Amino acid sequence: MNKPQHMACLGGGHGLYQTLLAARQCEPEDISAIVTVADDGGSSGRLRRELDIIPPGDLRMALAALSRDDADGDLWAATLQHRFGGTGAMAGHALGNLLIVALTEILESPQEALDTIARLTRSYGRVLPAANQALDIEAEVAGLDEDPCVMRPVRGQVAVASTPGQVRRVRLIPDKPDANPEAIAALEKADIITIGPGSWFSSVLPHVLVPQVVDAINESDALCVVVLNLTAEPGETPGFSAERHVHVLAQHAPGLKVDYILVDSDTLPEGSERQYLQRAADSLGAQVVFNRVAMCDGQGGTLEKHDPDKLSQVFLDIYSEFHATDSAR
């Protein structure tokens, strides 16, 4: 079986965390975690407002996911993820966030800070901010007015994720920001590029709103896989079908080229819904792949979380199929 040598994974939060665990099991030479930088809540939001820095929370989670799989790596991962309790000034802060901020100030470079921590954790790869500046998300939201057709702007990742209205579209502030050159270099050398899963409007779509990122994906020879969420997410995507997730992706990045869209087979039964999904995928030039990728709960059910073991095997299978098909042409 062909194995990828370089993997680039785009996303943020818990979705990217699971994808990175899966990428590790594919055993590539290196992994690049390309992370959204629009978080404005919790510890990240406080540090961002007080120190005018790139929000560190999603970067920290990616570093923890890529920490070496041994006793020292496990200790570092737990240390990065440790969150202070109590009611004082430190309450709610994750230690990894503070470490990223401190090293950024000492080294005068967020990327140097992240690479330094990666060396300490003997990381399986690098963590790369999608942009070298903090970004804001602004959404067009319906349902906040008596007239359901009226759109209201809602600004900020937390506000977008928790709005009682229906998010129709998002944009970045500043508009069309420059990408981190290190992230573009990682996309250019990748054998597999993954997008998602994660909070669709605040962790996934911000990547494809950076024009240089879309250009790099389209110009790359890499296999590009979009991993769909297992369920619709309260707040951002209530009531969204798999088809609508894909339509929204295509709407925000009309020129994006994707090879495969991976869907958990248990969440979408055989029938017309699969046909509608494939039609939506056609707008991205993608083929839909159905497989069981949800984590089991040990009692015959599933959790709303992707299983890294299953996800890694699907990545390897479609990578091998992709290259076999390519060689046969």
Side-chain angles (χ1 to χ4, degrees):
M1 177 185 290
N2 288 320
K3 283 192 174 184
Q5 297 303 304
H6 308 283
M7 295 186 69
C9 305
L10 290 81
H14 295 284
L16 179 60
Y17 188 95
Q18 296 301 110
T19 303
L20 293 174
L21 294 181
R24 283 171 39 170
Q25 296 188 40
C26 294
E27 299 181 344
E29 287 183 5
D30 63 71
I31 302 167
S32 298
I34 301 174
V35 184
T36 185
V37 287
D39 189 7
D40 63 355
S43 171
S44 286
R46 289 162 61 190
L47 293 168
R48 172 178 175 168
R49 288 187 294 272
E50 292 171 14
L51 301 173
D52 191 26
I53 60 163
I54 291 174
D58 287 348
L59 301 168
R60 177 202 81 244
M61 288 190 67
L63 285 167
L66 291 175
S67 294
R68 186 64 48 174
D69 189 18
D70 56 23
D72 287 343
D74 291 344
L75 177 59
W76 269 113
T79 299
L80 291 171
Q81 298 284 62
H82 176 75
R83 200 172 290 274
F84 294 100
T87 58
M90 295 291 289
H93 277 305
L95 179 57
N97 290 356
L98 301 178
L99 184 58
I100 292 170
V101 171
L103 284 170
T104 297
E105 291 187 350
I106 293 168
L107 299 172
E108 299 182 347
S109 164
Q111 192 60 64
E112 284 294 326
L114 295 166
D115 290 342
T116 298
I117 296 172
R119 287 194 292 272
L120 292 173
T121 62
R122 295 170 51 237
S123 178
Y124 287 98
R126 296 182 76 196
V127 174
L128 309 168
N132 286 325
Q133 61 177 315
L135 304 175
D136 277 318
I137 298 171
E138 184 173 84
E140 295 176 4
V141 180
L144 299 179
D145 195 88
E146 289 184 3
D147 184 346
C149 295
V150 172
M151 297 290 180
R152 299 290 185 193
V154 172
R155 182 165 176 171
Q157 184 268 331
V158 172
V160 171
S162 59
T163 180
Q166 297 176 326
V167 180
R168 300 299 191 192
R169 193 177 184 91
V170 292
R171 68 185 187 95
L172 293 178
I173 301 173
D175 186 40
K176 299 180 180 179
D178 289 334
N180 176 4
E182 297 279 1
I184 298 303
L187 291 170
E188 289 173 346
K189 75 172 183 178
D191 300 311
I192 293 184
I193 297 169
T194 70
I195 304 173
S199 298
W200 211 242
F201 284 105
S202 56
S203 290
V204 176
L205 294 183
H207 288 290
V208 299
L209 294 175
V210 181
Q212 291 167 308
V213 167
V214 174
D215 290 344
I217 293 172
N218 289 345
E219 292 168 7
S220 171
D221 293 328
L223 168 70
C224 182
V225 183
V226 171
V227 184
L228 281 196
N229 293 345
L230 298 172
T231 60
E233 189 171 15
E236 288 199 17
T237 56
F240 270 39
S241 63
E243 177 191 5
R244 189 167 180 189
H245 278 82
V246 174
H247 274 309
V248 168
L249 175 62
Q251 176 190 25
H252 284 78
L256 179 66
K257 298 175 184 177
V258 174
D259 296 298
Y260 292 96
I261 295 175
L262 175 58
V263 183
D264 180 66
S265 55
D266 288 342
T267 64
L268 200 65
E270 296 278 356
S272 57
E273 285 189 56
R274 292 196 176 190
Q275 297 174 12
Y276 299 148
L277 175 58
Q278 182 58 64
R279 288 175 192 168
D282 289 343
S283 64
L284 295 168
Q287 175 184 339
V288 180
V289 175
F290 296 95
N291 217 306
R292 290 184 173 178
V293 289
M295 186 174 289
C296 296
D297 63 5
Q299 299 177 344
T302 57
L303 301 172
E304 293 181 9
K305 183 183 293 187
H306 284 81
D307 187 313
D309 293 334
K310 297 174 183 176
L311 201 54
S312 65
Q313 189 58 57
V314 175
F315 287 158
L316 291 173
D317 288 345
I318 61 178
Y319 182 77
S320 183
E321 177 186 337
F322 179 76
H323 278 276
T325 301
D326 198 46
S327 298
R329 289 172 184 167

